[in-house]
Amino acid sequence: MRFYSVVAALGLTFQAASAQTPTATVLARAAQLTKEKKYESAFEVLDKADPKNLQPELLLAKEKLVLENYLMSMGHQAFGLRDLAPGETVEKLRGREGDYSMHMLNLPLELNRLQRKHPTNYALSKGLGDYWYAVLSCGCGEQDKPEEQKQDLVLRYYNAAHAHGLGDYTSYFGVGYVQLLRDQFAPATVAFTKSVALKADYPNSHYNLAYALWLQKKSAEGVAHAKAAYDLYVDEPRRRADAARMLGMLQEQQQKPAEAKAAYQQSLALNPQDTPAMLGMLRLAVAAHSPDAPSWAAKLYQLNPADDQMFSDIMDIYQNNNQWVEAEGFFSSQLPTAPKEAAPQGLLHFYVAILNMQLKRPQQARPHFLEARKQLATVMKPDNPAMQLIEKGLAESK
């Protein structure tokens, strides 16, 4: 199941200076240039005012600028920026070849150095949290550090900032994101709830909060957040489809099949090949003994007939409803039109054989075990669990 990370608008917090100070003037000028999408020019204004990164406010402004608006990153310690032309966006240009000005900025080194000098400036802690969260979520820097260490650093610095009243919706989201990664669903719910309270129109917080609540079987509480995410993802069809599917999962968990079906259909209208939504439709159809069940199973199977996980998912749904005959009937119906390659042929015969054994029909199972062995031996090693099950099945079906 997908859950979302913050990919922009890190919203770094820094202590605002008096409007009369040179620092405030520099920050205002850089902010105006950023608003005009003149990101290279904005960085030059900040760097000219503080080339050695001695002022916390200006370093944090540099961090915000590069993390939000870089077009190319080298290990997240060198950032490519450019003044954009009308109609250009960071989202469309990021990662593509182009003419950028590269700026070296070792953020953890510089932020830690300033934090040692200003130990009570917890905006620097938040800045460090923003850096480590950006690295964790994009997978584009600090490759020598394990993921768990990056997660620890996100929590360490964000929690320090939060303890001193410097949290914002992105930092609470970052804490919730790490806690989801660690299967800490209740604490994640608290963090996402705070994120939503601080910015009610940020869809990722609503979506992930709904997901965390679903994981805790608190689906009634999650419905409003799934609906909010759907409404807020108005310009992002794929994410809107995910939010509709999340709503379907919540409704299904509440045993409201009609509402769940409507939500899954809404999701598939936006993303017709969304596997989790299709699995939801199959679950509902099988549970209701609907004649639509084989067609949903076929749609899933046809996504990738060589995917063992797809076979397993389909069979699990039938098995959970004690519909072994229907499962065997579905897989057998695919034999005439299955792709002729070894993997799809072998897997299909393997599952037909397993289901016939479950139905206590060893004689019908045996030829499928033999064909499965013939096909899968060309793509699997002998110690593969599937090959071992085939040998066991052949022994038991003599």
Side-chain angles (χ1 to χ4, degrees):
M1 172 57 57
R2 179 181 303 125
F3 53 92
Y4 293 133
S5 61
V6 178
V7 294
L10 289 170
L12 304 181
T13 302
F14 54 85
Q15 297 172 342
S18 166
Q20 286 77 34
T21 66
T23 296
T25 302
V26 169
L27 291 171
R29 177 60 179 153
Q32 180 58 39
L33 288 167
T34 300
K35 185 177 179 180
E36 297 169 3
K37 298 185 180 180
K38 297 180 179 179
Y39 305 123
E40 166 63 16
S41 297
F43 190 91
E44 288 177 354
V45 166
L46 294 168
D47 204 43
K48 183 177 180 181
D50 187 25
K52 295 185 178 181
N53 298 316
L54 301 176
Q55 299 184 51
E57 296 93 336
L58 296 181
L59 176 58
L60 289 168
K62 288 181 188 179
E63 180 186 34
K64 177 179 172 66
L65 177 64
V66 298
L67 291 183
E68 288 187 5
N69 303 300
Y70 73 90
L71 301 180
M72 188 69 67
S73 162
M74 296 177 61
H76 251 41
Q77 293 194 0
F79 302 90
L81 298 172
R82 199 178 83 192
D83 290 352
L84 301 190
E88 290 183 326
T89 65
V90 170
E91 292 74 20
K92 291 180 180 178
L93 295 175
R94 181 170 288 170
R96 295 172 55 184
E97 293 184 3
D99 183 17
Y100 314 129
S101 295
M102 296 300 295
H103 299 278
M104 299 297 298
L105 188 60
N106 188 330
L107 286 165
L109 177 70
E110 299 291 352
L111 288 165
N112 275 306
R113 178 179 57 78
L114 279 183
Q115 191 169 59
R116 288 192 295 271
K117 187 176 180 181
H118 306 283
T120 61
N121 187 340
Y122 290 96
L124 294 167
S125 296
K126 184 176 180 301
L128 282 160
D130 286 328
Y131 171 78
W132 287 109
Y133 176 76
V135 165
L136 176 69
S137 59
C138 74
C140 47
E142 307 288 347
Q143 300 297 331
D144 60 323
K145 293 181 173 59
E147 294 300 290
E148 186 173 359
Q149 183 180 357
K150 297 173 191 177
Q151 295 173 16
D152 288 340
L153 289 165
V154 171
L155 295 178
R156 171 186 169 185
Y157 289 117
Y158 274 157
N159 286 336
H162 293 169
H164 293 84
L166 289 177
D168 65 8
Y169 79 97
T170 59
S171 60
Y172 280 108
F173 182 95
V175 168
Y177 177 76
V178 171
Q179 289 166 333
L180 269 189
L181 290 176
R182 294 182 167 191
D183 294 339
Q184 297 171 351
F185 308 136
T189 298
V190 173
F192 290 133
T193 299
K194 289 181 178 178
S195 180
V196 166
L198 289 166
K199 189 171 175 61
D201 62 350
Y202 183 59
N204 287 0
S205 294
H206 285 286
Y207 177 89
N208 282 21
L209 178 53
Y211 179 44
L213 289 165
W214 176 78
L215 289 166
Q216 298 170 84
K217 298 187 176 1
K218 296 181 177 180
S219 51
E221 299 175 36
V223 166
H225 296 290
K227 289 180 177 178
Y230 178 84
D231 291 339
L232 291 165
Y233 283 136
V234 63
D235 296 323
E236 299 180 77
R238 290 296 291 269
R239 290 194 171 191
R240 200 170 209 204
D242 291 345
R245 186 225 307 137
M246 177 60 64
L247 179 59
M249 292 165 56
L250 292 161
Q251 301 283 21
E252 187 180 355
Q253 194 176 73
Q254 293 183 83
Q255 299 184 3
K256 296 181 177 179
E259 293 87 341
K261 182 177 179 179
Y264 288 138
Q265 288 173 330
Q266 201 170 28
S267 176
L268 290 166
L270 292 162
N271 184 12
Q273 291 193 323
D274 182 67
T275 300
M278 293 169 70
L279 285 167
M281 291 296 288
L282 178 60
R283 284 194 302 271
L284 294 172
V286 170
H289 295 272
S290 168
D292 292 338
S295 65
W296 282 111
K299 288 176 183 178
L300 283 158
Y301 167 76
Q302 289 161 9
L303 290 176
N304 187 353
D307 181 6
D308 182 43
Q309 185 62 51
M310 190 66 72
F311 281 89
S312 179
D313 288 343
I314 294 170
M315 192 166 85
D316 284 349
I317 290 172
Y318 279 103
Q319 176 183 347
N320 291 340
N321 289 272
N322 200 30
Q323 294 185 29
W324 298 100
V325 171
E326 291 83 351
E328 194 278 336
F330 164 70
F331 284 121
S332 291
S333 72
Q334 302 303 306
L335 287 168
T337 56
K340 301 305 180 186
E341 290 82 2
Q345 282 286 321
L347 287 170
L348 189 54
H349 281 282
F350 173 71
Y351 276 88
V352 171
I354 291 292
L355 286 163
N356 273 290
M357 292 296 286
Q358 179 65 31
L359 292 167
K360 303 186 186 309
R361 300 191 303 212
Q363 289 185 336
Q364 289 94 322
R366 186 170 181 80
H368 294 292
F369 275 130
L370 288 168
E371 186 64 21
R373 181 172 66 178
K374 173 184 172 183
Q375 298 289 346
L376 293 179
T378 66
V379 293
M380 290 182 179
K381 294 181 179 179
D383 61 352
N384 188 290
M387 299 301 293
Q388 295 173 358
L389 279 173
I390 289 171
E391 294 304 323
K392 181 181 177 183
L394 287 169
E396 293 177 355
S397 61
K398 285 183 179 179

